[in-house]
Amino acid sequence: MKIKVGFGYDVHQIAEGHPFIVGGVDLEHHAGAFGHSDADVLTHAICDALLGAANLEDIGYHFPNTDPKWKGVNSLVLLEHVRELLTEKGWQIGNIDASLCLEAPKIKPFIPAMKEKIAKACKLEVEDVSIKATTSETMGFVGREEGVTAFAVCLIQKDNKLEG
């Protein structure tokens, strides 16, 4: 059995009038993250962790913000595509552990729904997806609610016997 780990990080600005999608869940808040896709910082960090573990470049390589095809796309679609890329290379996702850093809104009530959506996109059991949240104690751009960050690690595995 071959095992690899990956790390992902993402950041998005927050501004009035934008939806706040995190882990595929639309959070009710006066402001939200913005970007080329739906700006789902959590899902983007997970995509990068998975791609990095499999040595398949990064999210910007596969879904460039210059390609109109990805404009406004639901990031869970990107995550499903990443899972398919890994599957084509013989990798299976073992688990995902992710952390969000934001001041508001409080996301604890939304974590179960986020875990379900990410697990479904990755074809995992919900217990194989961990999501935590913290604040930056009002310091920096996150503390001023100018942005949101997410970090993710993952484990992927493949059966060496299948490689021939």
Side-chain angles (χ1 to χ4, degrees):
M1 178 75 62
K2 189 172 193 174
I3 298 173
K4 290 188 174 188
V5 296
F7 172 77
Y9 166 79
D10 197 37
V11 60
H12 281 280
Q13 292 182 41
I14 295 176
E16 297 285 336
H18 291 275
F20 207 165
I21 311 293
V22 180
V25 176
D26 193 350
L27 307 178
E28 287 192 32
H29 197 55
H30 65 89
F34 64 94
H36 186 69
S37 66
D38 64 1
D40 184 338
V41 68
L42 177 63
T43 303
H44 293 178
I46 293 169
C47 285
D48 260 349
L50 293 166
L51 289 166
N55 197 16
L56 295 174
E57 304 288 343
D58 62 23
I59 193 170
Y61 175 85
H62 292 279
F63 314 106
N65 63 7
T66 55
D67 187 341
K69 175 181 179 180
W70 306 117
K71 179 73 174 160
V73 70
N74 179 330
S75 292
L76 293 172
V77 171
L78 305 181
L79 184 55
E80 289 171 356
H81 185 69
V82 166
R83 181 196 37 81
E84 290 168 3
L85 289 171
L86 268 66
T87 300
E88 289 171 9
K89 298 292 185 182
W91 293 105
Q92 291 182 323
I93 302 168
N95 75 302
I96 295 166
D97 182 21
S99 294
L100 287 159
C101 187
L102 70 166
E103 293 297 319
K106 299 297 181 194
I107 66 154
K108 185 176 181 178
F110 304 102
I111 288 176
M114 292 176 191
K115 289 172 67 172
E116 285 181 31
K117 289 178 180 283
I118 290 166
K120 182 178 179 185
C122 292
K123 294 190 176 180
L124 291 172
E125 299 295 323
V126 172
E127 59 265 15
D128 294 326
V129 178
S130 171
I131 300 171
K132 304 163 308 292
T134 189
T135 70
S136 66
E137 301 293 334
T138 70
M139 296 181 292
F141 71 90
V142 171
R144 292 186 301 271
E145 296 186 45
E146 297 170 357
V148 56
T149 63
F151 306 86
V153 293
C154 69
L155 180 135
I156 62 172
Q157 55 203 13
K158 103 168 38 170
D159 189 344
N160 290 345
K161 294 173 189 168
L162 298 178
E163 291 182 22

